[in-house]
Amino acid sequence: MSQQLCRVEYALDAREDLIRLSMLHQDHLELANHILFVISDGIDLLKKHPLVGRQLPNGLRELVISHGSTGYLARYQYDELANLVLVLAIKHQREVDYH
């Protein structure tokens, strides 16, 4: 029996974060594309396992996306009734806070 995949959507702030993170490598297009792939591939895990991220206050969750010795963090909400993951923000692990 196949499990129905969750729908994953990106809030405007999360889309802006993706642009910001890729712009950090604007002089290295291949690296910028690789970073976007790593992040989107990590977030795709939420389609099958929406509860994999650690719990945060206010019903939020945070997914750790490993990349080398560091990685990225994606803050998201999971609506079980709608079968929807809404990615709210994305940051590099070395950043102090979400933008």
Side-chain angles (χ1 to χ4, degrees):
M1 186 166 163
S2 66
Q3 175 186 359
Q4 184 177 354
L5 298 179
C6 286
R7 197 171 75 242
V8 174
E9 295 182 4
Y10 291 79
L12 179 59
D13 285 347
R15 286 183 266 150
E16 289 173 351
D17 288 337
L18 287 173
I19 293 168
R20 179 181 54 78
L21 290 167
S22 68
M23 293 300 288
L24 295 174
H25 305 287
Q26 65 185 357
D27 294 336
H28 306 289
L29 185 58
E30 193 172 310
L31 180 56
N33 286 334
H34 175 71
I35 296 303
L36 292 176
F37 172 79
V38 166
I39 293 170
S40 66
D41 190 50
I43 289 173
D44 277 352
L45 175 68
L46 298 174
K47 291 178 181 178
K48 286 187 176 183
H49 306 285
L51 299 175
V52 72
R54 64 181 165 213
Q55 288 184 326
L56 299 174
N58 301 319
L60 300 179
R61 300 188 83 83
E62 188 172 63
L63 177 68
V64 177
I65 303 166
S66 297
H67 184 250
S69 61
T70 63
Y72 300 88
L73 299 172
R75 185 177 286 174
Y76 68 96
Q77 286 180 315
Y78 172 53
D79 182 338
E80 188 173 2
L81 291 177
N83 202 29
L84 172 68
V85 169
L86 179 61
V87 180
L88 302 169
I90 303 165
K91 71 173 190 137
H92 191 277
Q93 282 182 320
R94 291 185 177 157
E95 290 181 274
V96 174
D97 203 357
Y98 290 93
H99 296 246

